[in-house]
Amino acid sequence: MTHTKSLKLFIAVSGLVGIATVTGCSGTKDVQTSSLDMAEYRKMMEEQKKQQEHLAEATPSTPEMTVEEHERRGDLDAQNRNYPLASIHYDKALKADPTRNSVRLKLGQMFLQQGLLDQALTQFQDLRLREPESAPVHEGLGQIYLMQGKSAEAEKALTKAVTLNPSSWQAHNLLGLLYDQSKRHADAITSYHTALTYRPREPSVLNNLGLAYALSGNYDSAIDAYEQAVAAGSNAPKLYNNLGIAYVQRRRYVDALNTFQKATDEPRAYNNLGVALLGVNHAKKAVVCFEKAIELNPQYYEKASENLRIARQAVPNASNGTMAEAGSCP
């Protein structure tokens, strides 16, 4: 695969990213939640703390509520994405009965879902002491460590999770992400296939499998995995972008453009095709695509023109006009 890390190219969509899991344009992968910088993370934690304090003050004291009732209320609030109020009910349930591990697990998973890794880690570490042979506990710890970039700890926890529960497709999927981050793509592919034996046609796993194949240079298999994810019902822009890049690698430019258009509007699709073409050293075709993007939407010029400038720099004796000798952009 040709890398374009040194090019500051504008990709006119949400990024070439795996579904809720990984980033795969230039060959690096990150769990999405870990993209939060520390300032944003601290701000989010402080905001949730304030929300919880306000809710705690506003919530009438209900000593008659049982532990089970608090847990059920927490479940309902969590389903409605009212996480601060759910946290209050879970916390009250745990104060009334600290041995209620089911509540502690839900609280940890809720923190993890929000990307509040410190709070999640506290709950899962406590649970590991209470239930050292619990597969969900080790799976949660593995996901946290993966998001924190602690590869050794993540692999140990996730390996333990799949040993305790071999049918956990989520744990196998997380192991695949870990292996991909470590550039162990063959191991990642094996883990994704194992996940699919327990969760056939899962779009997120199929997308990750496609990325692993793409990073291994096997674009035909990558396309097959991405197309299976689309056939399974996924219409995520991130998936279409990954599929479009794979099509470019196989010189299927019309298919690539049509696929990019499913992820965004036509001008941005031409821009993204240009970015992908630059990634395979087809700078002349990329120039035409960037010019097409600007032609279709002149207001888009400020963003696409920077990509056009980079593409022209890669072409000797490039003119300022459309480069007829390069052929048309699909």
Side-chain angles (χ1 to χ4, degrees), residues 228-244:
Q228 286 186 56
V230 172
S234 176
N235 58 0
K238 301 166 188 178
L239 170 61
Y240 285 131
N241 290 329
N242 289 334
L243 178 55

Side-chain angles (χ1 to χ4, degrees), residues 12 31 40 61 64-65 83 125 150 177 189 218 220 317:
V31 178
E40 184 179 358
S61 177
E64 72 280 2
M65 287 184 69
Y83 299 124
Q125 286 178 332
K150 298 178 180 178
L177 297 178
I189 289 168
N218 186 345
D220 289 329
N317 302 318

Side-chain angles (χ1 to χ4, degrees), residues 31-245:
V31 178
Q32 282 186 324
T33 317
S34 65
S35 63
L36 294 172
D37 60 32
M38 289 306 298
E40 184 179 358
Y41 178 63
R42 286 193 293 268
K43 181 179 179 182
M44 182 169 58
M45 290 178 61
E46 184 63 27
E47 181 63 27
Q48 184 181 59
K49 181 180 179 182
K50 290 179 181 179
Q51 288 179 342
Q52 288 176 330
E53 290 174 351
H54 291 321
L55 282 169
E57 293 173 359
T59 302
S61 177
T62 53
E64 72 280 2
M65 287 184 69
T66 65
V67 172
E68 290 78 11
E69 289 171 337
H70 276 301
E71 182 175 0
R72 285 195 295 270
R73 284 287 300 275
D75 292 345
L76 181 60
D77 289 327
Q79 290 173 7
N80 293 329
R81 298 183 180 276
N82 191 342
Y83 299 124
L85 191 55
S87 297
I88 290 174
H89 283 291
Y90 288 148
D91 185 63
K92 287 183 177 180
L94 286 172
K95 286 180 179 178
D97 184 3
T99 67
R100 182 77 57 156
N101 292 338
S102 63
V103 177
R104 198 176 302 276
L105 178 61
K106 291 175 183 177
L107 186 58
Q109 290 173 334
M110 189 178 66
F111 285 142
L112 181 54
Q113 185 177 2
Q114 298 173 82
L116 302 175
L117 303 186
D118 291 341
Q119 293 100 314
L121 183 59
T122 297
Q123 300 301 326
F124 279 105
Q125 286 178 332
D126 191 341
L127 277 166
R128 182 172 56 185
L129 294 175
R130 297 170 183 272
E131 296 187 5
E133 298 302 305
S134 168
V137 170
H138 290 282
E139 182 178 317
L141 283 169
Q143 185 172 352
I144 294 168
Y145 291 138
L146 180 62
M147 296 168 76
Q148 291 178 331
K150 298 178 180 178
S151 299
E153 293 91 336
E155 183 170 6
K156 181 179 179 180
L158 291 171
T159 301
K160 179 74 170 178
V162 297
T163 299
L164 292 169
N165 181 15
S167 64
S168 173
W169 69 269
Q170 296 98 326
H172 288 292
N173 184 51
L174 289 168
L175 268 175
L177 297 178
L178 172 67
Y179 294 144
D180 268 333
Q181 285 186 349
S182 304
K183 299 183 179 180
R184 296 163 56 184
H185 304 309
D187 290 333
I189 289 168
T190 299
S191 290
Y192 295 138
H193 277 296
T194 303
L196 289 168
T197 63
Y198 298 108
R199 182 81 167 191
R201 294 171 56 82
E202 170 59 39
S204 62
V205 179
L206 288 165
N207 177 76
N208 293 339
L209 176 62
L211 281 169
Y213 276 127
L215 291 169
S216 302
N218 186 345
Y219 296 106
D220 289 329
S221 293
I223 289 170
D224 180 64
Y226 294 142
E227 289 180 339
Q228 286 186 56
V230 172
S234 176
N235 58 0
K238 301 166 188 178
L239 170 61
Y240 285 131
N241 290 329
N242 289 334
L243 178 55
I245 289 174

